[in-house]
Amino acid sequence: MNNMTIDYQCYKCNRQVAVTENQKISFRESCLGCRQDLHVCKNCRFYDFTLNNQCAENQAEKVTDKERSNRCEFFRFKTNSNLESKQSTDSLKKLDDLFK
């Protein structure tokens, strides 16, 4: 049975990371482009910088460094890493517009 391959993106360099459907990202894996750890909060679909703990999974333990590898059992690669940066850029633009 063939597993479907899903292309994700490294949050840091936006390089594609091909992962098979049932493959888990090891906490030791790193991006081939920038050597950044992949099993990090900023690559996780539960990462939300607007929340108090910056994590939408309320059972997850607190992780202080969102850019370093961790052993969170709830880690799931985010489906669109550009969404966060686009939302952040849009929010900053709206804030700047308020003060013009």
Side-chain angles (χ1 to χ4, degrees):
M1 183 175 204
N2 291 341
N3 283 336
M4 187 171 105
T5 300
I6 303 167
D7 287 328
Y8 296 107
Q9 286 182 304
C10 169
Y11 85 91
K12 188 159 189 160
C13 71
N14 291 325
R15 182 184 177 108
Q16 285 191 339
V17 179
V19 179
T20 57
E21 192 173 24
N22 297 319
Q23 178 184 356
K24 290 195 175 204
I25 299 293
S26 161
F27 67 92
R28 292 184 175 154
E29 288 187 58
S30 59
C31 176
L32 295 175
C34 65
R35 302 290 182 223
Q36 171 66 36
D37 294 329
L38 289 175
H39 195 286
V40 300
C41 294
K42 286 192 173 183
N43 277 334
C44 183
R45 72 175 175 185
F46 296 115
Y47 175 73
D48 183 344
F49 69 96
T50 64
L51 297 176
N52 183 35
N53 191 23
Q54 298 179 332
C55 184
E57 175 50 63
N58 61 3
Q59 295 180 3
E61 291 183 30
K62 184 175 182 176
V63 175
T64 54
D65 190 343
K66 307 299 183 193
E67 296 181 5
R68 292 201 58 203
S69 178
N70 62 66
R71 295 178 186 242
C72 180
E73 296 176 19
F74 298 100
F75 177 85
R76 300 293 179 273
F77 228 118
K78 111 175 31 175
T79 55
N80 185 352
S81 65
N82 290 329
L83 180 60
E84 175 196 311
S85 60
K86 181 180 179 341
Q87 287 174 336
S88 179
T89 302
D90 290 348
S91 298
L92 288 173
K93 183 180 179 337
K94 288 177 185 177
L95 186 61
D96 284 342
D97 290 344
L98 286 173
F99 295 100
K100 286 184 179 179

